[in-house]
Amino acid sequence: MRELYIAVLLLFFMAGSIVAWLSRRFIGRGSREFFVGGYRVGGFISAMTYAATTYSAFMMVGLVGLTFTGGVAALGFELVYLAATVIILGVVGPTIWREARRRGWISPSEMLADLYGSNVVGIGVSLLYLFTLVPYTSAQLKGVGEIFSSIGLGYEYGVLFAFVATAFWILVAGLWSVAMTDAFQGIWMLGSSIAVTIWVVAFLLPSANIDYNTFIESLSGSSSGDLLSFTWSPQMFLGLTIPWIFFALTNPQVVQRLYIPRDERSYARTVKYFALYGFMYTIICVFLGMAFRSYVALRGGDAENILLKNRDLVTPYMLTLSHPLLAAVAYVGITAAAISTANSIVLTVSSSVVRDLYEKLVVKPNERASRIAAVSAILILLTLALASSMMRIGYIVELSVISSAGLLPLAPITIAGIVGSGRRPIKRGKLLYPVISILIGESILIYAVVIHGVSRALTAPLLFSLPSPVWIVLGSTLAIIPLIAERKV
Amino acid sequence: MRSMVLLGTAIICLFYIPMFKWFSELIVSTSRVGIILYWIGLTVISILIGVRILGKSLGGETK
């Protein structure tokens, strides 16, 4: 198994590196080319990089485990994200795409700074990205380290491999190499998950004599209750879904992906292909969690209790039962999901650092110096992520879990800014509203963390039985209502 | 366009109805896979609405 994984991983890395190297022919000069591909990426590549950036190792590990333990509610959690995202990409996405090329936006923090005519907003948002997304990147590197560790290859080598692959595939041609390798990795992720599903349906379930009726019966009468009914608390469902339904507007790595399609037709293809990809991948991951729960429950033994205590072990345990080649391909698929998310985050956050911190603080920034700053920012961000992964800092994972909630206060100001982009400019005295909106949202999150701890900050009731994400959205929205009202006059 | 956006928002709200025990029990008693079909149905409708809105936002070029 170990040798097979190394062989498949080397094949994956070599193929990805060839794809990255070939993408160099597309890149032109300047930071616009390096960070957003000169706004001329085709629909298929845009869709695949959007999908591979969005769907991290969480899908094949976290979502499978979440379904295994909590049942069908995990499907609602993931599908409401997809449904909300497609609607957001239809309603405000075209304006973001159009305004990005009209106003020359490169980073999402630059977009907010421009919409509100305030450098303070841009700097503040850049710092927020740094604080929330470096731990998230660390968690991706850590995920690859854990895969290496579970196969007996050494945790440190896994983290180092993820660091090298991420850095190399970014630095070869910026957005072009990231997008092309994301497309390659996205195909691998979906292909390997389909292969695992075929194995489960054709071999695993029949080996335990599980047909449709026994499958349904085993899930309905599971030790955790009826897994085909809604078993989560309303607070957990609200707390986990609300940060996700605004993900397309709050997470810079996906906001920046809206800038890159080369024309309207490519933008439309991006949304349609992403919707199809997301729908298939979600159904597959949820099905795998349910199928394996049914299999484990009907086979008996201690496995069910062990996996219920540590749901992240569900997929690795399931893969130990498959052919080693299939397991190796699936493990590389999970590795690809982690790397494709990490490289997009690092590229985007470094674009914010360069555009909203470096170029705003330096008196006369030039193209060459900005390029050096970009490479330095990428390497520094990745080194920070590498260091925290190597030190196995426990709270990195917890911080990455709440990073989506940390970015949630950006949703109201992004929607208000985009919707009001064609209206009258904001008066200077009102520029503090977006900053106050962010501060209120972050204060509510910090309060929830202090009261309930990091692990329950999103899902525990905070006020009137509602969890913190509801109050973050409400608080941040209320703070900018005067601004919205003034623009409507 | 505005009515489509409102319809999309309403569909997203419908995703949360299974949080109410009476609804999830009702739907599961109708069909064991009722909630799965319910959410998949809502997702397909949302995608169709999103694509329709997208077509209008982009000036009908995607039709």
Side-chain angles (χ1 to χ4, degrees), chain A residues 235-387:
Chain A
Q235 287 83 6
M236 182 169 167
F237 195 69
L238 283 168
L240 292 183
T241 53
I242 287 178
W244 274 91
I245 61 177
F246 293 107
F247 185 89
L249 293 170
T250 58
N251 276 56
Q253 69 275 22
V254 287
V255 174
Q256 198 178 42
R257 290 295 176 276
L258 301 182
Y259 304 169
I260 67 173
R262 68 172 164 238
D263 50 29
E264 292 190 343
R265 189 178 289 269
S266 299
Y267 180 85
R269 279 187 183 158
T270 303
V271 178
K272 288 176 190 171
Y273 294 163
F274 164 72
L276 186 64
Y277 187 105
F279 186 71
M280 286 171 66
Y281 202 37
T282 301
I283 299 293
I284 285 171
C285 292
V286 169
F287 170 74
L288 289 176
M290 286 185 166
F292 198 59
R293 180 65 188 263
S294 174
Y295 172 83
V296 168
L298 291 169
R299 288 297 288 238
D302 293 336
E304 188 174 16
N305 288 332
I306 293 167
L307 295 176
L308 283 173
K309 283 176 191 158
N310 190 350
R311 64 185 184 216
D312 286 347
L313 291 178
V314 172
T315 300
Y317 185 81
M318 179 171 65
L319 292 176
T320 60
L321 304 176
S322 71
H323 188 280
L325 181 61
L326 177 64
V329 169
Y331 271 129
V332 172
I334 298 168
T335 307
I339 291 172
S340 61
T341 298
N343 64 10
S344 295
I345 293 174
V346 170
L347 184 70
T348 303
V349 176
S350 64
S351 73
S352 280
V353 170
V354 171
R355 298 289 286 188
D356 295 294
L357 294 178
Y358 170 75
E359 291 183 0
K360 295 279 159 50
L361 298 174
V362 171
V363 182
K364 280 186 181 173
N366 62 56
E367 198 58 59
R368 186 178 149 76
S370 290
R371 185 67 177 262
I372 293 168
V375 173
S376 308
I378 289 163
L379 291 175
I380 290 168
L381 285 171
L382 263 175
T383 307
L384 281 173
L386 174 79

Side-chain angles (χ1 to χ4, degrees), chain A residues 234 358 400 417 427:
Chain A
Y358 170 75
S400 69
K427 290 177 187 165

Side-chain angles (χ1 to χ4, degrees), chain A residues 398 401-402 448-449 451-462 467-469:
Chain A
E398 291 178 323
V401 170
I402 62 163
V449 169
I451 297 289
H452 297 296
V454 174
S455 58
R456 294 187 67 238
L458 299 187
T459 53
L462 195 66
S468 62

